Amino acid sequence: MIGLWDTTGNEVVKALAAERRSAGGVASGMALTLIVVVDEKRVREAEAAATIAAAAHPCRLLVVVRSEIERDRNRLDAEIVVGGRLGPCEAVVTRMYGRLSLHAESVVMPLLVPDVPVVTWWHGEPPAEIATDFLGVVADRRITDSAQAADPVEALRQRARDYAPGDTDLAWTRITPWRTLVAGAFDTTSAQVTEATIVAPATDPTAALMAGWLSSRLGITPRRVDSNEFPRMREVQLSCANGDQLTLTREDSMAVFRRTGQDDRALPLVRRPLGDELAEELRRLDADQVYAEALGATVGLRGLEQRPPQRVHVWKDPATAQRAEAGVTAHVGTSGEG
């Protein structure tokens, strides 16, 4: 590992090249560049997940930590790891302070692996508009996680409003096992589903996307039953035109499958580590049309998959926005005196 403190982007590029030569790194072995945008307190968590994903998808990992935007002095610190604690990937962990953090692309762009896709993952609450972050604009795939937002369901609505082909969300990834089990239940029947019910907490984004997926696939409007007796989606119930009732109920790491006229069956429904969820999304680097249709059905917006995939960078200075918001708050407080 090489540590560079109070350095420059040019020095980081040189150090990475030297470390790759020393370790025998070959750029042609990289399947993609993975950019991870994360807060300092969650860096190790993001690194652990990226290490799992990199084992299946050799990549160059670029971790971007932005801090102290209003700091007077700009500073760049970097760690370079090739084939070390982060597994088989080439990794550069950059910590940017001051106004430099608003121009992270100036450091990141020269570090991209040539001629391979770029994936950006926000491990935390993503920007409301991805186009305001240049690291999202340059990416072929953009991975967010609505569950990290203060209001996950509202975050899903914002993801739909802001959607462009190439976007995806880890809340969608988390229902892959559910979708697999539901689809598998119809391998031996062609009965039409007429009704669906989903039992889950009201704030569970996976349940919202499950409802959107069933709606987009089956042309029905699933009924939601709010329940807080389980922290995540608990049950999916389907009613068929032939009178059959199908129910999948989560029981810890298993799902109990019940069907009219058949014995109950226990099926695996394990909650996967974050790294496995990330690895799943890195398997495909084209637009996920099924996700687009499910997301659109979730919030009532159609034709998301027909939007142009290109984004145009929209400059936004969060420090200025924070000062403006503080000024409005102060003004309102003063106006309300007396």
Side-chain angles (χ1 to χ4, degrees), residues 91-113:
V92 181
V93 182
T94 58
R95 292 175 168 84
M96 304 179 192
Y97 304 90
R99 302 294 293 179
L100 173 64
S101 61
L102 299 179
H103 302 279
E105 68 279 1
S106 64
V107 177
V108 171
M109 292 294 285
L111 297 172
L112 302 179
V113 179

Side-chain angles (χ1 to χ4, degrees), residues 97-136:
Y97 304 90
R99 302 294 293 179
L100 173 64
S101 61
L102 299 179
H103 302 279
E105 68 279 1
S106 64
V107 177
V108 171
M109 292 294 285
L111 297 172
L112 302 179
V113 179
D115 303 321
V116 299
V118 177
V119 180
T120 298
W121 168 42
W122 289 267
H123 184 45
E125 187 164 359
E129 295 181 56
I130 288 178
T132 61
D133 189 340
F134 195 84
L135 299 180

Side-chain angles (χ1 to χ4, degrees), residues 157-180:
R157 297 191 187 100
Q158 180 57 32
R159 296 276 58 81
R161 290 190 288 265
D162 188 50
Y163 179 84
D167 293 0
T168 191
D169 195 278
L170 290 180
W172 170 251
T173 318
R174 293 184 187 113
I175 65 170
T176 297
W178 281 94
R179 293 188 293 124
T180 301

Side-chain angles (χ1 to χ4, degrees), residues 71-88:
R71 181 174 176 173
D72 292 337
R73 181 171 175 269
N74 296 326
R75 173 173 169 147
L76 170 64
D77 297 338
E79 297 175 63
I80 300 171
V81 184
V82 177
R85 62 183 174 84
L86 298 180

